[in-house]
């Protein structure tokens, strides 16, 4: 078990387009054009794909769960303009997925999916190579201020904004 958590920690630390939420055991991967620029979320307790989030028009550069795992934020530097999206993903669990299927909320067969906010970012001065995305891009939730997010971009600039009311 500890070896698996250590392996996830290495992935999450090295790749900004990967996130892991310890409490819910959700593992998310931001993809590129080969996977329709979606975010795949896996439930590691059941070893199944839990949700698929679609809405970005280009490769996803960074993602991060908030502290309780109910929201996920994503950033695509390759969109024009670069875009941050905030997703309500819920608390998870088999029964919650079944309830959301019958609640009238949009679903893709694996639970409620809702992009609650899209934030266009100022354009970058140029295209940055993938190594700059890996080294510098990072999304961070501010746990002291509800919905506050910090985005460190590939050009090492930093933006602060709010995605939740």
């Amino acid at each position: 078990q500890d070896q698996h958590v250590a392996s996830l920690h290495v992935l999450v630390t090295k790749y900004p387009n990967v996130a892991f939420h310890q409490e819910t055991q959700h593992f998310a991967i931001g993809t590129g054009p080969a996977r329709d620029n979606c975010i795949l979320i896996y439930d590691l307790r059941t070893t199944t794909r839990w949700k698929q989030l679609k809405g970005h028009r280009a490769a996803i550069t960074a993602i991060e769960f908030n502290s309780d795992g109910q929201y996920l934020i994503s950033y695509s530097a390759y969109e024009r303009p670069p875009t941050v999206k905030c997703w309500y993903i819920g608390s998870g669990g088999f029964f919650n997925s079944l309830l959301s299927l019958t609640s009238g909320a949009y679903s893709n067969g694996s639970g409620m999916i809702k992009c609650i906010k899209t934030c266009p970012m100022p354009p970058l001065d140029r295209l940055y190579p993938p190594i700059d995305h890996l080294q510098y891009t990072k999304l961070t939730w501010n746990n002291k201020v509800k919905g506050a997010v910090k985005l460190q971009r590939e050009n090492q600039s930093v933006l602060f904004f709010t995605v939740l009311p």
Side-chain angles (χ1 to χ4, degrees):
Q1 175 86 12
D2 290 338
Q3 182 182 5
H4 297 253
V5 172
S7 296
L8 288 173
H9 179 73
V10 169
L11 285 172
V12 170
T13 304
K14 186 170 183 165
Y15 300 103
N17 64 325
V18 175
F20 176 64
H21 190 266
Q22 178 76 34
E23 186 180 317
T24 61
Q25 292 290 295
H26 289 156
F27 180 70
I29 303 166
T31 68
R35 296 258 184 196
D36 296 327
N37 308 309
C38 70
I39 299 166
L40 301 172
I41 304 175
Y42 294 90
D43 185 332
L44 298 185
R45 286 184 267 213
T46 60
T47 64
T48 58
R49 186 169 74 189
W50 183 56
K51 294 191 181 194
Q52 179 175 331
L53 311 179
K54 291 185 175 183
H56 281 289
R57 296 179 315 276
I60 297 161
T61 313
I63 59 176
E64 187 63 40
F65 289 102
N66 76 328
S67 62
D68 67 6
Q70 300 246 347
Y71 296 91
L72 184 121
I73 192 139
S74 58
Y75 168 60
S76 175
Y78 299 104
E79 287 184 331
R80 295 295 167 250
T83 304
V84 170
K85 291 185 179 286
C86 182
W87 307 85
Y88 174 74
I89 58 173
S91 58
F94 178 73
F95 292 109
N96 284 346
S97 292
L98 285 178
L99 290 172
S100 68
L101 288 175
T102 59
S103 69
Y106 170 73
S107 170
N108 71 347
S110 58
M112 186 168 57
I113 296 172
K114 187 173 182 186
C115 176
I116 60 168
K117 189 165 187 178
T118 299
C119 305
M121 297 289 116
L124 294 165
D125 56 343
R126 62 182 173 89
L127 288 177
Y128 286 81
I131 190 69
D132 287 347
H133 294 284
L134 290 173
Q135 288 181 337
Y136 304 119
T137 305
K138 183 167 180 61
L139 283 165
T140 310
W141 290 88
N142 180 341
N143 293 328
K144 294 178 183 173
V145 179
K146 181 183 176 189
V149 174
K150 173 184 169 186
L151 169 63
Q152 180 176 309
R153 298 176 82 183
E154 40 287 305
N155 63 358
Q156 300 184 50
S157 66
V158 177
L159 299 170
F160 296 91
F161 51 95
T162 303
V163 294
L164 298 176

